[in-house]
Amino acid sequence: MPQVLLATIRVIVKSEFGTFKLRAILDQGAQATLITEGASKLLRLHKHKTFARITGVSGETVVVKQYVKFSLTSHYEAGFEIRSQAYVIPSLNNYCSGPVDRQTLPSFAEFTLADPDFDKNDPIDLLIGGDLYGDILLPQQKKFDKGILLQLTHFGWIVSGPTSEISYAQTVNINLCSLNAQFKASWEQDKSIESRKLTSEKIACEEIFKKNCTPGYEGSFIIALPIRSQILDHSSPVFSHSNFSALKQIENKFAKDPNLVSEYKKFTVFDGSSKSHHSSSLTDELFPGPALHNHFTIIINR
């Protein structure tokens, strides 16, 4: 297949913060106009919320959640201005025109080109789709031998067509086909999983739950409290009247709130962290088990 030039133009984008020059590519095969995240930041454009699915050539679909509004003006035609809105995506295809020998091309000296550096590999900031394509083109065109075509637009003459019989590129550029790969990195950030290093005590605690859980009421599970000393050395913990301080606190509350007494009788409550001077609390004696959430740094990275 021959090396083929795609139609690129240089546009002036107007925003409330000034005017900026961007390189754009025309793509009648796209139903919408797209702009890179970097260009939207350069223009300091206000982002609007949206939800759109963009489908590429291979059927892959990505979701876009932001769009921006701006105006396009022209170096070529004074007074021309067109309002536009574009979906914001991380980047556009890295279009590469390939090595082009201008001496093998027709002379374009008499034409004001929309992209004087059409044979250069400058980044593409904007993809102008079919929503604007018809408003940009003008009727005049000039066709040269071997398929080179010049088409007049409000931005000047665009150059497209084959430049040689042999393709020097190892890839074929079809816009939108690689959008899925561009979003893959952000998806993979949400899949960050911290590898957990469990101590022998935490492993023992998990084993107790696996072996001793029994079905309970309405889908619940019942298991004995995982007391540390009983699991490790089969000894019993020492609790010395730790219930007295808890009872005193509860009785004071009961005196002030009769409704609390009634509710309390329906559900037995005790303070697991209460302890005396000569013994530990129930909480002290229980296995905590491994943490079930990711480390804070993993959460921040996501």
Side-chain angles (χ1 to χ4, degrees):
M1 296 180 63
Q3 176 68 30
V4 178
L5 288 171
L6 302 182
T8 58
I9 61 177
R10 305 281 174 163
V11 298
I12 300 175
V13 181
K14 292 176 61 177
S15 74
E16 58 180 313
F17 298 102
T19 59
F20 302 84
K21 297 179 181 179
L22 299 181
R23 192 184 191 210
I25 189 168
L26 294 178
D27 188 355
Q28 193 178 15
Q31 292 183 316
T33 295
L34 309 175
I35 190 171
T36 64
E37 177 72 27
S40 67
K41 288 182 178 179
L42 174 68
L43 300 169
R44 291 189 282 179
L45 297 172
H46 174 69
K47 293 183 175 67
H48 304 270
K49 292 183 179 180
T50 187
F51 185 90
R53 298 183 185 275
I54 298 181
T55 303
V57 173
S58 61
E60 296 175 341
T61 300
V62 296
V63 174
V64 178
K65 297 183 179 180
Q66 294 178 328
Y67 73 94
V68 293
K69 297 179 180 180
F70 50 85
S71 294
L72 298 177
T73 60
S74 170
H75 296 278
Y76 177 78
E77 183 180 325
F80 175 79
E81 182 174 332
I82 184 171
R83 291 287 301 168
S84 175
Q85 64 182 35
Y87 292 119
V88 180
I89 63 173
S91 63
L92 289 166
N93 279 354
N94 295 323
Y95 165 61
C96 178
S97 63
V100 178
D101 185 357
R102 285 213 179 191
Q103 294 182 354
T104 64
L105 299 179
S107 174
F108 303 139
E110 60 181 292
F111 301 96
T112 303
L113 300 180
D115 184 3
D117 297 319
F118 65 88
D119 57 333
K120 301 293 191 256
N121 294 325
D122 296 343
I124 300 295
D125 305 299
L126 186 68
L127 183 147
I128 298 176
D131 55 334
L132 299 178
Y133 193 87
D135 295 327
I136 289 175
L137 262 59
L138 293 173
Q140 297 92 326
Q141 61 178 223
K142 172 69 174 178
K143 191 169 185 178
F144 296 87
D145 293 339
K146 299 182 179 181
I148 290 291
L149 176 69
L150 260 63
Q151 172 74 53
L152 185 60
T153 73
H154 288 287
F155 298 91
W157 294 85
I158 56 176
V159 183
S160 63
T163 62
S164 65
E165 296 181 356
I166 301 176
S167 176
Y168 296 93
Q170 300 299 316
T171 59
V172 177
N173 286 281
I174 301 177
N175 295 311
L176 303 185
C177 67
S178 65
L179 283 176
N180 193 55
Q182 294 168 14
F183 282 81
K184 185 178 180 181
S186 62
W187 293 343
E188 289 181 341
Q189 289 179 9
D190 292 333
K191 298 180 181 178
S192 299
I193 299 177
E194 180 185 7
S195 59
R196 305 182 186 277
K197 296 182 179 179
L198 302 183
T199 63
S200 58
E201 290 189 358
K202 292 179 179 178
I203 292 175
C205 185
E206 286 201 334
E207 290 299 320
I208 290 295
F209 275 88
K210 291 177 182 178
K211 294 178 181 179
N212 297 284
C213 277
T214 57
Y217 181 72
E218 293 185 350
S220 64
F221 289 88
I222 300 173
I223 186 173
L225 294 176
I227 296 177
R228 189 190 312 269
S229 59
Q230 288 181 344
I231 294 174
L232 296 180
D233 55 19
H234 305 288
S235 63
S236 298
V238 177
F239 301 109
S240 176
H241 305 293
S242 61
N243 61 326
F244 289 163
S245 60
L247 285 174
K248 185 176 181 180
Q249 294 176 11
I250 291 297
E251 287 173 351
N252 291 334
K253 291 184 179 180
F254 285 169
K256 300 177 182 178
D257 190 350
N259 291 330
L260 179 62
V261 178
S262 175
E263 294 297 321
Y264 189 85
K265 288 181 178 179
K266 297 178 183 178
F267 187 83
T268 301
V269 180
F270 60 90
D271 185 1
S273 61
S274 178
K275 57 184 177 181
S276 67
H277 296 293
H278 305 292
S279 65
S280 59
S281 69
L282 178 62
T283 303
D284 294 334
E285 295 294 334
L286 294 180
F287 265 132
L292 300 180
H293 60 275
N294 280 338
H295 192 272
F296 188 65
T297 54
I298 297 294
I299 298 173
I300 292 295
N301 285 335
R302 289 182 61 189

